[in-house]
Amino acid sequence: MLSSVKHALTRRRRAATVVATALLAAGAGLTFAPSASADPFRCPSDIGSDSQSLCAHVIKINPGSTLTVRSGPGSGYSNVGSLPNGTIVEVECWTNGTPVSGYTIWTRLYGGSRYVSDYYLDTGRVQSFLPQC
């Protein structure tokens, strides 16, 4: 009996810790990447601008469709290009923009004002790897 009571209390403490952490993160305005994402990786030598460059893959694009590259961090900015699924892109920094599937992080691609919703990149917790724009 005592063992089952201890086990139940431990489970409740763990659940309370998870809830408290989530509430603190939400209150701090933190936005986390989709859980299925990976982390940026060192760019292949034929893609990156230098040996420290970080790259990501375009993901979640339906076959026959492309990811729209925008001039700023939001769907209201002009279209400046497109990328098919699987394309490797060099990523430079992140910023907040208009939500895409509830996710507000946009990533600036290397080489000027070219942004894509980070929802469509396999960057994981991009805020841990790239500077804010």
Side-chain angles (χ1 to χ4, degrees), residues 41-44 47-55 90-91 110:
F41 55 90
R42 292 282 174 222
C43 295
I47 293 177
S49 59
D50 62 52
S51 63
Q52 299 302 307
S53 298
L54 292 175
C55 280
E90 184 175 354
V91 292
Y110 180 79

Side-chain angles (χ1 to χ4, degrees), residues 24-89:
L24 285 171
L30 299 176
T31 304
F32 296 109
S35 60
S37 298
D39 294 326
F41 55 90
R42 292 282 174 222
C43 295
S45 60
D46 61 332
I47 293 177
S49 59
D50 62 52
S51 63
Q52 299 302 307
S53 298
L54 292 175
C55 280
H57 291 100
V58 174
I59 58 171
K60 301 180 187 172
I61 304 299
N62 294 328
S65 296
T66 58
L67 173 61
T68 301
V69 180
R70 303 279 181 182
S71 62
S75 55
Y77 287 87
S78 62
N79 177 342
V80 295
S82 61
L83 301 165
N85 206 43
T87 301
I88 297 175
V89 293

Side-chain angles (χ1 to χ4, degrees), residues 1-13:
M1 171 82 174
L2 184 57
S3 175
S4 64
V5 170
K6 283 183 180 180
H7 184 66
L9 288 174
T10 300
R11 282 193 319 220
R12 286 186 182 158
R13 278 190 210 117

Side-chain angles (χ1 to χ4, degrees), residues 101-125:
S101 294
Y103 189 61
T104 61
I105 302 296
W106 284 68
T107 301
R108 187 169 73 200
L109 305 179
Y110 180 79
S113 293
R114 300 180 316 130
Y115 292 81
V116 295
S117 169
D118 197 67
Y119 178 80
Y120 294 106
L121 299 178
D122 65 348
T123 54
R125 297 187 191 280

